[in-house]
Structure formats: structure tokens, C-alpha cells
Coordinates of all heavy atoms in Angstrom, one line a residue:
N1 N -28.9 50.7 -16.0 CA -28.0 49.5 -16.1 C -26.6 49.9 -16.4 O -26.4 50.8 -17.2 CB -28.5 48.5 -17.1 CG -29.9 48.0 -16.8 OD1 -30.5 48.3 -15.7 ND2 -30.5 47.3 -17.7
N2 N -25.7 49.1 -15.9 CA -24.3 49.2 -16.3 C -23.6 50.6 -16.2 O -23.0 51.1 -17.2 CB -24.1 48.6 -17.7 CG -24.5 47.2 -17.8 OD1 -23.8 46.3 -17.3 ND2 -25.6 46.9 -18.4
N3 N -23.9 51.3 -15.1 CA -23.2 52.5 -14.9 C -22.2 52.3 -13.7 O -21.8 51.2 -13.5 CB -24.2 53.6 -14.6 CG -25.1 53.9 -15.8 OD1 -24.7 54.3 -16.8 ND2 -26.4 53.7 -15.6
Q4 N -21.8 53.4 -13.0 CA -20.9 53.3 -11.9 C -21.5 53.6 -10.6 O -20.8 54.1 -9.7 CB -19.7 54.1 -12.2 CG -18.9 53.8 -13.5 CD -18.4 52.4 -13.4 OE1 -17.8 51.9 -12.4 NE2 -18.5 51.6 -14.5
L5 N -22.8 53.5 -10.4 CA -23.5 53.8 -9.2 C -23.0 52.9 -8.1 O -23.0 51.7 -8.2 CB -25.0 53.7 -9.4 CG -25.6 54.6 -10.4 CD1 -27.1 54.3 -10.6 CD2 -25.4 56.1 -10.1
T6 N -22.7 53.5 -6.9 CA -22.2 52.7 -5.8 C -23.2 52.6 -4.7 O -23.0 51.8 -3.8 CB -20.9 53.4 -5.2 OG1 -21.2 54.7 -4.9 CG2 -19.8 53.4 -6.3
R7 N -24.3 53.3 -4.8 CA -25.3 53.2 -3.8 C -26.7 53.4 -4.4 O -26.8 54.0 -5.4 CB -25.1 54.1 -2.6 CG -25.2 55.6 -2.9 CD -25.0 56.5 -1.7 NE -25.2 57.9 -2.0 CZ -26.4 58.5 -1.9 NH1 -27.4 57.8 -1.5 NH2 -26.5 59.8 -2.2
I8 N -27.7 53.0 -3.7 CA -29.1 53.2 -4.1 C -29.5 54.6 -3.6 O -29.5 54.8 -2.4 CB -30.0 52.1 -3.6 CG1 -29.6 50.8 -4.1 CG2 -31.5 52.5 -3.9 CD1 -30.5 49.6 -3.6
P9 N -29.7 55.5 -4.5 CA -30.0 56.9 -4.1 C -31.3 57.0 -3.3 O -32.3 56.3 -3.7 CB -30.1 57.7 -5.4 CG -30.5 56.6 -6.4 CD -29.8 55.4 -6.0
L10 N -31.3 57.7 -2.2 CA -32.5 57.8 -1.4 C -33.5 58.9 -1.8 O -34.7 58.6 -1.9 CB -32.1 58.1 0.1 CG -31.1 57.0 0.7 CD1 -30.8 57.4 2.2 CD2 -31.7 55.6 0.6
E11 N -33.0 60.1 -2.1 CA -33.9 61.2 -2.4 C -34.1 61.4 -3.9 O -34.9 62.2 -4.3 CB -33.4 62.5 -1.7 CG -33.4 62.4 -0.2 CD -34.7 62.2 0.4 OE1 -35.7 62.8 -0.1 OE2 -34.9 61.5 1.4
S12 N -33.2 60.8 -4.7 CA -33.3 61.1 -6.1 C -34.6 60.6 -6.8 O -34.9 61.0 -7.9 CB -32.1 60.4 -6.8 OG -30.9 60.9 -6.3
F13 N -35.3 59.7 -6.1 CA -36.5 59.2 -6.7 C -37.8 59.8 -6.2 O -38.9 59.4 -6.5 CB -36.6 57.6 -6.4 CG -35.5 56.8 -7.0 CD1 -35.0 55.7 -6.3 CD2 -34.9 57.2 -8.2 CE1 -34.0 55.0 -6.8 CE2 -33.9 56.4 -8.7 CZ -33.4 55.3 -8.0
R14 N -37.7 60.9 -5.4 CA -38.8 61.4 -4.7 C -39.9 62.0 -5.6 O -41.0 62.2 -5.2 CB -38.4 62.4 -3.6 CG -37.8 63.6 -4.1 CD -37.3 64.5 -2.9 NE -36.6 65.7 -3.3 CZ -36.0 66.5 -2.5 NH1 -35.9 66.2 -1.2 NH2 -35.4 67.6 -3.0
Q15 N -39.5 62.4 -6.8 CA -40.5 62.9 -7.7 C -41.2 61.9 -8.6 O -42.0 62.2 -9.4 CB -39.8 63.9 -8.7 CG -39.2 65.1 -7.9 CD -37.8 65.4 -8.4 OE1 -37.0 64.5 -8.8 NE2 -37.5 66.7 -8.5
L16 N -40.8 60.6 -8.4 CA -41.3 59.5 -9.3 C -42.4 58.7 -8.7 O -42.3 57.5 -8.6 CB -40.1 58.6 -9.6 CG -38.9 59.3 -10.2 CD1 -37.7 58.3 -10.6 CD2 -39.3 60.1 -11.5
N17 N -43.5 59.4 -8.4 CA -44.6 58.7 -7.8 C -45.3 57.8 -8.8 O -46.1 56.9 -8.4 CB -45.7 59.7 -7.3 CG -45.1 60.5 -6.2 OD1 -44.4 60.0 -5.3 ND2 -45.4 61.8 -6.1
H18 N -45.1 58.0 -10.1 CA -45.7 57.2 -11.2 C -44.8 56.1 -11.7 O -45.2 55.4 -12.6 CB -46.2 58.1 -12.3 CG -47.2 59.1 -11.9 ND1 -48.6 58.8 -11.7 CD2 -47.1 60.4 -11.6 CE1 -49.2 59.9 -11.3 NE2 -48.4 60.9 -11.3
L19 N -43.6 56.0 -11.2 CA -42.7 55.0 -11.7 C -43.1 53.6 -11.5 O -43.5 53.2 -10.4 CB -41.3 55.2 -11.1 CG -40.1 54.5 -11.8 CD1 -39.8 55.2 -13.1 CD2 -38.9 54.5 -10.9
E20 N -43.1 52.8 -12.6 CA -43.6 51.4 -12.5 C -42.4 50.4 -12.7 O -42.4 49.3 -12.2 CB -44.6 51.1 -13.6 CG -45.9 51.9 -13.5 CD -46.8 51.7 -14.6 OE1 -46.6 50.9 -15.5 OE2 -47.9 52.4 -14.6
H21 N -41.4 50.8 -13.5 CA -40.2 49.9 -13.8 C -38.9 50.6 -13.4 O -38.7 51.7 -13.9 CB -40.2 49.5 -15.3 CG -39.0 48.8 -15.7 ND1 -38.7 47.5 -15.3 CD2 -37.9 49.2 -16.4 CE1 -37.5 47.2 -15.8 NE2 -37.0 48.2 -16.5
L22 N -38.1 50.0 -12.6 CA -36.8 50.5 -12.2 C -35.7 49.4 -12.3 O -35.9 48.3 -11.8 CB -36.8 51.0 -10.8 CG -35.5 51.5 -10.2 CD1 -34.9 52.7 -11.0 CD2 -35.6 51.9 -8.7
S23 N -34.7 49.7 -13.0 CA -33.5 48.8 -13.2 C -32.3 49.5 -12.7 O -31.9 50.5 -13.3 CB -33.4 48.3 -14.6 OG -32.3 47.4 -14.7
L24 N -31.6 48.9 -11.7 CA -30.3 49.4 -11.3 C -29.2 48.3 -11.5 O -28.2 48.2 -10.8 CB -30.4 49.7 -9.8 CG -31.3 50.9 -9.5 CD1 -31.5 51.0 -8.0 CD2 -30.6 52.2 -9.9
A25 N -29.5 47.4 -12.5 CA -28.7 46.2 -12.6 C -27.2 46.5 -13.0 O -27.0 47.4 -13.8 CB -29.3 45.3 -13.7
Y26 N -26.3 45.7 -12.5 CA -24.9 45.8 -12.9 C -24.3 47.1 -12.7 O -23.5 47.6 -13.5 CB -24.7 45.2 -14.3 CG -25.1 43.7 -14.3 CD1 -26.3 43.3 -14.8 CD2 -24.2 42.8 -13.8 CE1 -26.7 42.0 -14.7 CE2 -24.6 41.4 -13.8 CZ -25.8 41.0 -14.2 OH -26.2 39.7 -14.2
N27 N -24.6 47.7 -11.5 CA -23.8 48.8 -11.0 C -23.1 48.3 -9.7 O -23.6 47.3 -9.1 CB -24.7 50.0 -10.5 CG -25.3 50.7 -11.7 OD1 -24.6 51.6 -12.3 ND2 -26.5 50.4 -12.1
P28 N -21.9 48.8 -9.4 CA -21.2 48.3 -8.2 C -21.9 48.8 -6.9 O -21.2 49.4 -6.0 CB -19.8 48.9 -8.4 CG -20.0 50.2 -9.1 CD -21.2 49.9 -10.0
I29 N -23.2 48.5 -6.7 CA -23.9 49.0 -5.6 C -23.6 48.2 -4.3 O -23.7 47.0 -4.4 CB -25.5 49.0 -5.9 CG1 -25.8 50.1 -6.9 CG2 -26.3 49.2 -4.6 CD1 -27.2 50.1 -7.4
W30 N -23.3 48.9 -3.3 CA -23.1 48.3 -2.0 C -24.2 48.9 -1.1 O -24.1 50.0 -0.6 CB -21.7 48.6 -1.5 CG -21.4 48.0 -0.1 CD1 -21.8 48.5 1.1 CD2 -20.6 46.9 0.1 NE1 -21.2 47.7 2.1 CE2 -20.5 46.7 1.5 CE3 -19.9 46.0 -0.7 CZ2 -19.8 45.7 2.1 CZ3 -19.2 44.9 -0.1 CH2 -19.1 44.8 1.3
H31 N -25.2 48.1 -0.8 CA -26.3 48.7 0.0 C -25.9 48.7 1.5 O -25.5 47.7 2.1 CB -27.6 47.8 -0.1 CG -28.8 48.5 0.4 ND1 -29.1 48.4 1.7 CD2 -29.7 49.3 -0.2 CE1 -30.2 49.1 1.9 NE2 -30.6 49.7 0.8
P32 N -25.9 49.9 2.1 CA -25.3 50.0 3.5 C -26.2 49.5 4.6 O -25.8 49.3 5.7 CB -25.1 51.5 3.6 CG -26.1 52.1 2.7 CD -26.3 51.2 1.6
N33 N -27.5 49.4 4.3 CA -28.5 49.1 5.3 C -28.9 47.6 5.3 O -29.4 47.1 4.4 CB -29.7 49.9 5.1 CG -30.7 49.9 6.3 OD1 -30.6 49.0 7.1 ND2 -31.6 50.9 6.4
C34 N -28.5 46.9 6.4 CA -28.8 45.5 6.5 C -30.3 45.2 6.7 O -30.8 44.1 6.6 CB -28.1 44.9 7.6 SG -26.3 45.2 7.6
L35 N -31.1 46.2 7.1 CA -32.4 46.0 7.6 C -33.5 46.1 6.6 O -34.4 45.2 6.6 CB -32.7 47.0 8.8 CG -31.7 47.0 9.9 CD1 -32.1 48.0 11.0 CD2 -31.7 45.6 10.6
T36 N -33.5 47.0 5.7 CA -34.6 47.2 4.8 C -34.2 48.0 3.6 O -33.3 48.8 3.7 CB -35.8 47.8 5.5 OG1 -36.9 48.0 4.6 CG2 -35.5 49.2 6.1
L37 N -34.9 47.9 2.5 CA -34.8 48.7 1.3 C -35.8 49.9 1.4 O -35.9 50.7 0.5 CB -35.0 47.9 0.0 CG -33.8 47.1 -0.5 CD1 -34.3 46.3 -1.7 CD2 -32.7 48.0 -0.9
G38 N -36.6 49.9 2.5 CA -37.7 50.8 2.5 C -37.3 52.3 2.3 O -38.0 53.0 1.6
D39 N -36.3 52.8 2.9 CA -35.9 54.2 2.8 C -35.5 54.5 1.4 O -35.8 55.6 0.9 CB -34.7 54.5 3.7 CG -35.0 54.5 5.2 OD1 -36.2 54.6 5.5 OD2 -34.1 54.3 6.0
S40 N -35.0 53.6 0.6 CA -34.5 53.8 -0.7 C -35.7 54.0 -1.7 O -35.6 54.7 -2.7 CB -33.6 52.7 -1.2 OG -32.5 52.6 -0.4

């Protein structure tokens, strides 16, 4: 939360197969893909 991330990282989460809770709140994220969040 509350960092300066501008996009949702695609490959940075690839080791997190057990992740249950993720918060990216209040970053200036501009999601470039109109179609889906699937890749992220």
C-alpha cells in the first residue's frame, strides 16, 4: 500500500503460488490492458 508503483507487475509474483492476500492499494497504478487482469 501507498508506494509509487505505476503498474501491476506481471512476473514479480511468479514465485507466490501460496499467496492468499495481496494489496496494491493507493499506488498510482495505470493498468495498460483493457481486456483482463489475467496476465498480472
Side-chain angles (χ1 to χ4, degrees):
N1 300 352
N2 296 290
N3 296 300
Q4 299 301 316
L5 299 174
T6 56
R7 67 181 183 89
I8 297 177
L10 301 182
E11 299 296 322
S12 300
F13 298 147
R14 65 186 179 186
Q15 297 135 325
L16 303 182
N17 294 323
H18 298 282
L19 195 69
E20 297 176 5
H21 170 72
L22 174 63
S23 179
L24 294 165
Y26 294 98
N27 287 280
I29 290 175
W30 180 282
H31 193 274
N33 192 343
C34 309
L35 301 178
T36 179
L37 279 174
D39 289 339
S40 302

